């Protein structure tokens, strides 16, 4: 590659592992494929990942993977794209951005059964194509946010804000059945957003 409930509750997935598919995409399998691809590409070297393996993990046929995403390289590029998530997370005026980011992050996790940013953590320390996730994250999340901020040390503040968002996602994944799972996105924002907003406004 050249480019850079049932009556008995199911066991909670391991932290960092996205839950199994739900009825978010009934009849299509697209979201299930994307979750399986994120697991595969972030946890194994690119050369070891196969369309057949992703299909098996998603519970669909390899042909359906190709239908939705094309070749392995195209599927990887979809996994490495943080642009849509960043656009949604940052879609608010600066004086309301901290709260908007928290509410949006928590809401999207619950709606889609996956975190929009957390997969980048699995690329840390890797030297193969997974390093592209880091590059894309820097460009599409951190740099995009820094460009919106005003005042001094915009890049540092953007990096710290991104760290807060990743930390929130990691905490919610770690405590899947904890207090955070019962709290509304708005209540989590009441507690978590002020620190973000301090970094946003400088």
């Amino acid at each position: 590659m050249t480019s850079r409930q049932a009556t008995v509750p199911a066991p909670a997935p391991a932290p960092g592992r996205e839950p199994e598919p739900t009825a978010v995409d009934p009849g299509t399998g697209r979201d299930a494929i994307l979750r399986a691809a994120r697991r595969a590409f972030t946890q194994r070297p690119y050369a070891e990942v196969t369309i057949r393996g992703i299909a098996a993990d998603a519970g669909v046929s390899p042909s359906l993977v190709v239908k939705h995403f094309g070749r392995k390289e195209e599927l990887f590029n979809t996994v490495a794209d943080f642009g849509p998530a960043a656009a949604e997370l940052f879609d608010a005026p600066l004086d309301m951005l901290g709260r908007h980011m928290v509410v949006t992050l928590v809401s999207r996790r619950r709606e889609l059964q996956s975190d929009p940013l957390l997969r980048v953590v699995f690329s840390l320390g890797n030297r193969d194509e997974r390093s592209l996730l880091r590059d894309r994250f820097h460009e599409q999340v951190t740099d995009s946010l820094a460009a919106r901020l005003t005042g001094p040390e915009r890049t540092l503040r953007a990096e710290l804000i991104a760290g807060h968002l990743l930390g929130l996602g990691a905490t919610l994944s770690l405590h899947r059945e904890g207090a955070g799972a019962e709290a509304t996105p708005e209540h989590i924002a009441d507690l978590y957003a002020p620190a973000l907003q301090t970094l946003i406004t400088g």
Side-chain angles (χ1 to χ4, degrees):
M1 176 167 178
T2 58
S3 319
R4 296 206 15 179
Q5 260 183 329
T7 43
V8 179
R17 178 179 172 88
E18 297 174 355
E20 293 306 311
T22 65
V24 173
D25 60 342
T28 71
R30 190 181 191 281
D31 290 344
I33 293 167
L34 189 53
R35 285 192 290 270
R38 287 172 174 172
R39 287 193 290 268
F41 285 124
T42 56
Q43 297 175 13
R44 296 199 297 277
Y46 178 86
E48 295 181 6
V49 177
T50 65
I51 292 291
R52 186 175 298 278
I54 290 170
D57 189 19
V60 301
S61 67
S63 62
L64 189 61
V65 178
V66 175
K67 175 183 177 181
H68 282 302
F69 296 100
R71 300 171 302 165
K72 184 171 81 165
E73 181 176 358
E74 295 167 319
L75 180 53
F76 179 82
N77 282 330
T78 300
V79 168
D81 186 8
F82 295 95
E88 187 174 17
L89 285 168
F90 303 157
D91 186 23
L94 286 181
D95 61 348
M96 300 169 54
L97 186 56
R99 183 174 187 83
H100 171 80
M101 288 193 295
V102 175
V103 170
T104 300
L105 179 69
V106 177
S107 297
R108 296 304 281 168
R109 282 178 56 92
R110 293 178 179 178
E111 292 166 9
L112 301 180
Q113 296 296 299
S114 65
D115 190 282
L117 302 178
L118 197 56
R119 62 189 180 278
V120 74
V121 173
F122 293 97
S123 72
L124 301 179
N126 295 315
R127 298 180 179 274
D128 61 9
E129 287 85 352
R130 287 172 291 179
S131 65
L132 178 60
L133 271 76
R134 297 197 301 276
D135 296 339
R136 291 275 181 86
F137 187 91
H138 284 303
E139 174 188 351
Q140 297 176 330
V141 179
T142 311
D143 293 347
S144 176
L145 179 57
R148 288 206 56 199
L149 299 180
T150 60
E153 299 185 294
R154 290 180 298 172
T155 299
L156 175 58
R157 285 157 52 209
E159 291 175 357
L160 294 174
I161 291 166
H164 273 279
L165 294 174
L166 291 173
L168 176 58
T171 296
L172 294 174
S173 291
L174 182 63
H175 302 288
R176 290 187 184 276
E177 298 180 358
E182 302 296 326
T184 65
E186 291 75 18
H187 184 52
I188 293 174
D190 289 340
L191 299 173
Y192 203 83
L196 281 172
Q197 193 62 45
T198 297
L199 289 167
I200 292 166
T201 56

